[in-house]
Amino acid sequence: MPSHAVGVDVGGTTIKVGRVDATGTLSHPRRVPTPRDVATMVEVIAAQVRDLAQPGDAVGVVVPGIVDEASGTAVLSVNLGWRDVPLRDLLVATLGREVAFGHDVRAGALAASVWGAGGDLLFVPVGTGIAAALVLDGRVRGTGWAGEIGMLTVSDPDGGAPVVLEAVASASAIARRYAARTGAAVTGADEVVEAAVAGDADAAAVIAEGMEALGLALADSIALLGSVRVVIGGGLAGGGEAVLGPLRNSMARRLGERPAPEVFAATLGPWAGCLGAGALAMGLSTTGAGEGVGS
Amino acid sequence: MPSHAVGVDVGGTTIKVGRVDATGTLSHPRRVPTPRDVATMVEVIAAQVRDLAQPGDAVGVVVPGIVDEASGTAVLSVNLGWRDVPLRDLLVATLGREVAFGHDVRAGALAASVWGAGGDLLFVPVGTGIAAALVLDGRVRGTGWAGEIGMLTVSDPDGGAPVVLEAVASASAIARRYAARTGAAVTGADEVVEAAVAGDADAAAVIAEGMEALGLALADSIALLGSVRVVIGGGLAGGGEAVLGPLRNSMARRLGERPAPEVFAATLGPWAGCLGAGALAMGLSTTGAGEGVGS
């Protein structure tokens, strides 16, 4: 098993690259702008890998959207304009080396399980969008559409037609809804969190409405899966208890008499995907719990 | 691996017992009344096992409620009045042989995966209550509170205070709510289904309200897990498309643009738990899909 890997996390705006070791230490972290076309992106990623990789290093690349890990395909990303891009094969052909390929949020969940909260967990980055990934019995589960909970249909808290969960509960939605409600010129959810902490009832209401919708969606999975810790990542995790408290309350209401799960803010921060790409490339897995029941 | 097992499915009213072979064929099925005290129950189960078991047979016992498979404990069953009953050890001591011990719904899911719909699935028996069990990557997942989705808090379709999902979507709830709505003296959900098929708008509405609540809870798990087939069991599965259609519609509304899962009625019928107890005892598992991603 390689002791180091170059991790590459392709985002809608920037590509995060770094060298990761088996303890989860990141070195040479850097961001480069995300090119709009696939050929240029392959060249940019290859140049970064050639620059950072030392002999024996593994390479891992993770991307957002609908990802088929088995075939190494970016099936669909609206933000990146991708449809059925065989990115792993393109990178392997360009680099002439093995490339581990995965989904950004599932890789982040792997990193959170290996180096962060540990063990089985539900990793939920809440930023511009919302996604989720499940680590169960020591493995990251799912492929394809798995975890794309941000597109769930929810009630509009303002009483309009149903909207998607992301339109109510994402960090960007919370900023936008607060601005619409108050006329204040906020640019990010962190400002809404600050306002809520300072006693602003509109800010608290917008956060509560978002966490009500997110908590319901997560609680239903917890009810099925049993006791799995919830790790909130992405920009909204920076809001701390002003966000996690309402989320816990929402989950507790939905779960009723059953035990509510622990809810944490992720500790790995915005580099979780890059770290996860490295973990994937190094073949790391958690020393999870037993292998289910019944078989 | 034993080629046969005696399967025992302890229910709130009757205990179902039968001999199961490795192809899922059930012989000598029988029902005995469920005793109210644990000591008598252990004796009744032991007597049935002694009567049915042939040399070399394995023995499996499954129970409802909150079950800890690892310790062989019936942690909580409101219907049976159990709290922390070490049932596996009691049976082993009485029988002087190994006993596989599990949860009725998780065992039913195992049977559905091994002998019924096959592969990965979400098994959801809807009868007097509602529970769910997940087969993922060829294994039945979860323990303890996992799958007790019937206790999720949902909106009251009649506009009252929030209620539990079972109070709206279970077979018994559908019968009760239809009777309350129409004054008709129905005794089971099958009569409501018949009425709905015959064009009774009240029957259709009561079914739709129940499936709306159930579909939302299931869709949220599907969104997290990705493409997993849904197998509806229990009494309500007998309603066929009059029930599955509204359930599919509810899930599709919640899932929005993402692909909706396949929804089937279980084929194993009311003996799924007994068959699953046998499968558990024989150590059967599905030849499921690969083992997740990222590790």
Side-chain angles (χ1 to χ4, degrees), chain A residues 137 141 147 153 220 223 253-254, chain B residues 137 141 147 153 220 223 254:
Chain A
D137 299 333
R141 302 287 162 179
T153 305
D220 288 349
R253 275 195 297 279
R254 178 72 167 172
Chain B
D137 298 333
R141 304 286 162 178
T153 304
D220 288 350
R254 178 70 167 172

Side-chain angles (χ1 to χ4, degrees), chain A residues 110 137 139-141 145 147 151 153 216-217 220 223-224 253-254 257-259 280 284-285 291 293-295, chain B residues 110 137 139-141 145 147 151-153 216 220 223-224 253-254 257-259 280 284-285 291 293-295:
Chain A
L110 176 64
D137 299 333
R139 291 175 182 274
V140 183
R141 302 287 162 179
W145 281 91
M151 304 305 289
T153 305
L216 189 153
D220 288 349
L224 174 65
R253 275 195 297 279
R254 178 72 167 172
E257 67 179 57
R258 47 181 301 158
L280 199 61
L284 297 180
S285 62
E291 275 291 314
V293 303
S295 56
Chain B
L110 175 64
D137 298 333
R139 291 174 180 276
V140 183
R141 304 286 162 178
W145 281 91
M151 304 306 287
L152 283 170
T153 304
L216 190 154
D220 288 350
L224 175 65
R253 274 194 297 279
R254 178 70 167 172
E257 67 179 59
R258 48 183 298 158
L280 199 60
L284 297 179
S285 61
E291 275 289 316
V293 301
S295 54

Side-chain angles (χ1 to χ4, degrees), chain B residues 150-240:
Chain B
M151 304 306 287
L152 283 170
T153 304
V154 303
S155 302
D156 179 3
D158 299 323
V163 295
V164 295
L165 178 60
E166 282 180 358
V168 177
S170 67
S172 42
I174 284 172
R176 188 182 64 245
R177 294 190 69 235
Y178 179 76
R181 186 177 177 124
T182 63
V186 296
T187 57
D190 50 346
E191 294 169 55
V192 184
V193 168
E194 280 172 25
V197 170
D200 181 328
D202 288 315
V206 165
I207 292 170
E209 287 164 358
M211 293 307 99
E212 176 66 23
L214 178 60
L216 190 154
L218 297 180
D220 288 350
S221 291
I222 295 293
L224 175 65
L225 297 166
S227 180
V228 173
R229 288 176 304 164
V230 176
V231 179
I232 303 297
L236 205 64

Side-chain angles (χ1 to χ4, degrees), chain A residues 35-49:
Chain A
R36 288 295 102 184
D37 68 291
V38 172
T40 308
M41 182 167 321
V42 169
E43 285 307 323
V44 166
I45 293 172
Q48 290 295 326
V49 169

Side-chain angles (χ1 to χ4, degrees), chain A residues 13 18 29 76 157 178 186 292:
Chain A
T13 310
L76 181 64
Y178 179 75
V186 297

Side-chain angles (χ1 to χ4, degrees), chain B residues 5-19:
Chain B
V6 175
V8 180
D9 178 12
V10 179
T13 309
T14 64
I15 301 176
K16 298 195 189 82
V17 188
R19 190 162 180 258

